[in-house]
Amino acid sequence: MEKRTENDMIHLPEAFCERMRGLLGDQYGEFIASYDRDRVQGLRLNGLKTAGPESSPRELARNMERETGFELQPIPWVRDGFYYREEDRPGKHPYHEAGAYYIQEPSAMAVVELADPIPGDRVLDLCAAPGGKTTHIASRLKGKGFLLSNEIHPARAKILSQNVERMGVQNAVVTNEAPERLSPRFPEFFDKIVVDAPCSGEGMFRKDPQAADQWSPDHVAMCAARQGDILDQAAGMLKPGGRMVYSTCTFAPEENEGTVLHFLERHPDFEVEAVNGYEGFDCGKPRWAGVDPETDLGRQLARTFRLFPHRLEGEGHYMAVLKKRGEAPEAATFWGGPRMAVRKQKELLKDFADFCRENLAETEWLADQDSYVLFGDQLYLTPREMPEMAGLKVVRPGLHLGTLKKNRFEPSHALALALRPDQARISLRLKPQEGPVLRYLKGETLDLNSLEGELTPAGAGKGWALVCAGEYSLGWAKLTGQIFKNHYPKGLRWM
């Protein structure tokens, strides 16, 4: 990481520095000195895979430290978040491929903590790629409720979908749409909405020096206008009584207090909700938006949050918790018909049902056949509360179960990542940092005679085996006798 000092301020735009000097006053020296420090690194444990009934996040982190050699320190504002050392390199560990954690900038983790999704909520992540906040939401939902994760850019939507898969999320639908295409389809539908809006990226200059090269006052103004449009669309999709968290990774008042101010002026049915922050969080600055702090709007803007890199261990961020006035309506069913023609073609599911009976230890979830969707020969299990999505660009309509081939079913990588070892009839637990698991990730065939892994049940001789790094599923292998034929996806294999 390149360090920045007063002597190489040339790396920061002059207009940006002048503005921050004027805004921060005597704090400017501390602020600019933060660019001389290395940025901190963070990861968030995936509660869909790591949570135990009696284990605290700290206990889980201690287990992770013993198993990986990482050194983890708690991030104060997120229950499952931890700082790690740069030399730990968690992105190169098998647990990363298993979705045991998500590498995420520490300040960004605060957004979902403020949104506070609970199991059963309907949640929209409107600007979701690459997936940090989406997978955080999913971890908090614990498989209950409905998550719509949207990204307007097709390439980024694909990355988002891949991260949803890696983290074993079952109740999320990924779409590739503009907000104005979604809002008419979901009127007052969601309990919680996260809008991590595209912004000028000033808070990421230390993390991404190229962002500084692309900065300009005109770009700030363009981002502020776009953010207002996105918030307007999101507002109509939130239930009365619902909560929307607006966030950016910029310091610009136009994109932060200014955007929230103009939104409140356009939407009198919203207010900034008073929620508790954490040590190091600064309050919003109404004067920076030209608002008297003693007015109602000023007091509301002061309830928003600013995260500065000289005040806490994280990058620059801004967050506002927006509450829609009114009471939530009675729960309504938005789905009125069968998901697909599978109800009329149940023979198509026979091979899948046979696979489940032969290879899975739990098959109760097969009963909900109205939730299956077939795209060509690809079978998905959709969330129970998924509404009608016809006409929308759906990247991932739920959990990808696998492929219906002639007279057989081939399970997907997504299904493997969504399962625990005890949910498969045959599982192979490999030590997370030793040769066999690395050979599996490289796509090599494994010989049971040369493995120091735990095969359950002992003596299993045939069938689909769930290969795991410790207790975390990695993918499938086809067991025949003593040989595991590798089915780890070619595009994900380690070099």
Side-chain angles (χ1 to χ4, degrees), residues 96-166:
H96 180 266
E97 306 310 305
Y101 49 78
Y102 190 99
I103 297 171
Q104 189 175 14
E105 195 282 310
S107 293
M109 297 183 197
V111 175
V112 174
E113 292 296 300
L114 293 180
D116 194 26
I118 60 175
D121 275 347
R122 294 170 176 170
V123 185
L124 169 64
D125 187 359
L126 188 54
C127 312
K133 295 173 180 65
T134 275
T135 56
H136 194 175
I137 293 166
S139 179
R140 295 288 298 272
L141 289 179
K142 302 184 185 302
K144 298 178 181 178
F146 173 67
L147 169 58
L148 180 62
S149 184
N150 181 71
E151 172 56 44
I152 191 172
H153 298 289
R156 287 170 56 80
K158 183 178 179 181
I159 295 170
L160 168 64
S161 180
Q162 291 169 345
N163 279 321
V164 166
E165 175 179 290
R166 180 172 63 86

Side-chain angles (χ1 to χ4, degrees), residues 94-374:
Y95 279 178
H96 180 266
E97 306 310 305
Y101 49 78
Y102 190 99
I103 297 171
Q104 189 175 14
E105 195 282 310
S107 293
M109 297 183 197
V111 175
V112 174
E113 292 296 300
L114 293 180
D116 194 26
I118 60 175
D121 275 347
R122 294 170 176 170
V123 185
L124 169 64
D125 187 359
L126 188 54
C127 312
K133 295 173 180 65
T134 275
T135 56
H136 194 175
I137 293 166
S139 179
R140 295 288 298 272
L141 289 179
K142 302 184 185 302
K144 298 178 181 178
F146 173 67
L147 169 58
L148 180 62
S149 184
N150 181 71
E151 172 56 44
I152 191 172
H153 298 289
R156 287 170 56 80
K158 183 178 179 181
I159 295 170
L160 168 64
S161 180
Q162 291 169 345
N163 279 321
V164 166
E165 175 179 290
R166 180 172 63 86
M167 302 298 277
V169 179
Q170 298 187 36
N171 60 328
V173 172
V174 178
T175 53
N176 169 216
E177 284 291 355
E180 58 269 22
R181 288 260 300 153
L182 293 177
S183 56
R185 302 290 294 273
F186 297 94
E188 297 189 341
F189 182 86
F190 294 101
D191 301 287
K192 310 280 172 60
I193 296 178
V194 169
V195 180
D196 186 42
C199 69
S200 58
E202 295 173 2
M204 295 293 118
F205 287 174
R206 184 169 63 168
K207 178 181 177 182
D208 179 13
Q210 290 185 347
D213 299 332
Q214 298 166 357
W215 183 91
S216 73
D218 287 343
H219 187 220
V220 169
M222 183 272 289
C223 288
R226 180 171 56 186
Q227 291 152 2
D229 291 341
I230 293 172
L231 277 175
D232 288 345
Q233 299 300 328
M237 293 188 275
L238 188 68
K239 290 179 181 178
R243 172 181 284 187
M244 178 164 65
V245 177
Y246 170 72
S247 66
T248 72
C249 54
T250 188
F251 303 114
E254 301 96 315
E255 301 180 68
N256 295 334
E257 290 90 351
T259 292
V260 173
L261 168 66
H262 299 316
F263 173 80
L264 293 173
E265 291 173 338
R266 294 192 303 273
H267 297 272
D269 54 335
F270 277 80
E271 63 182 343
V272 178
E273 187 175 358
V275 297
N276 293 327
Y278 294 83
E279 184 177 355
F281 284 27
D282 276 29
C283 62
K285 312 295 182 186
R287 290 194 187 280
W288 292 6
V291 177
D292 184 344
E294 299 304 317
T295 63
D296 176 63
L297 283 173
R299 286 188 287 271
Q300 290 196 59
L301 292 178
R303 297 176 197 152
T304 65
F305 297 104
R306 279 185 169 273
L307 279 60
F308 289 106
H310 66 289
R311 300 271 291 156
L312 49 66
E313 293 296 317
E315 304 304 317
H317 230 73
Y318 175 83
M319 294 167 292
V321 181
L322 300 166
K323 182 77 176 258
K324 194 171 191 176
R325 294 186 174 95
E327 295 185 3
E330 293 294 325
T333 300
F334 285 76
W335 178 253
R339 298 268 190 248
M340 49 169 280
V342 162
R343 290 183 85 186
K344 301 177 182 179
Q345 305 177 49
K346 290 188 177 181
E347 65 274 12
L348 292 176
L349 292 177
K350 181 180 181 301
D351 292 333
F352 172 61
D354 289 345
F355 163 83
C356 292
R357 281 190 290 270
E358 294 167 5
N359 296 284
L360 300 185
E362 297 179 9
T363 58
E364 292 85 355
W365 51 294
L366 285 171
D368 189 19
Q369 294 193 357
D370 285 352
S371 292
Y372 292 123
V373 172
L374 193 63

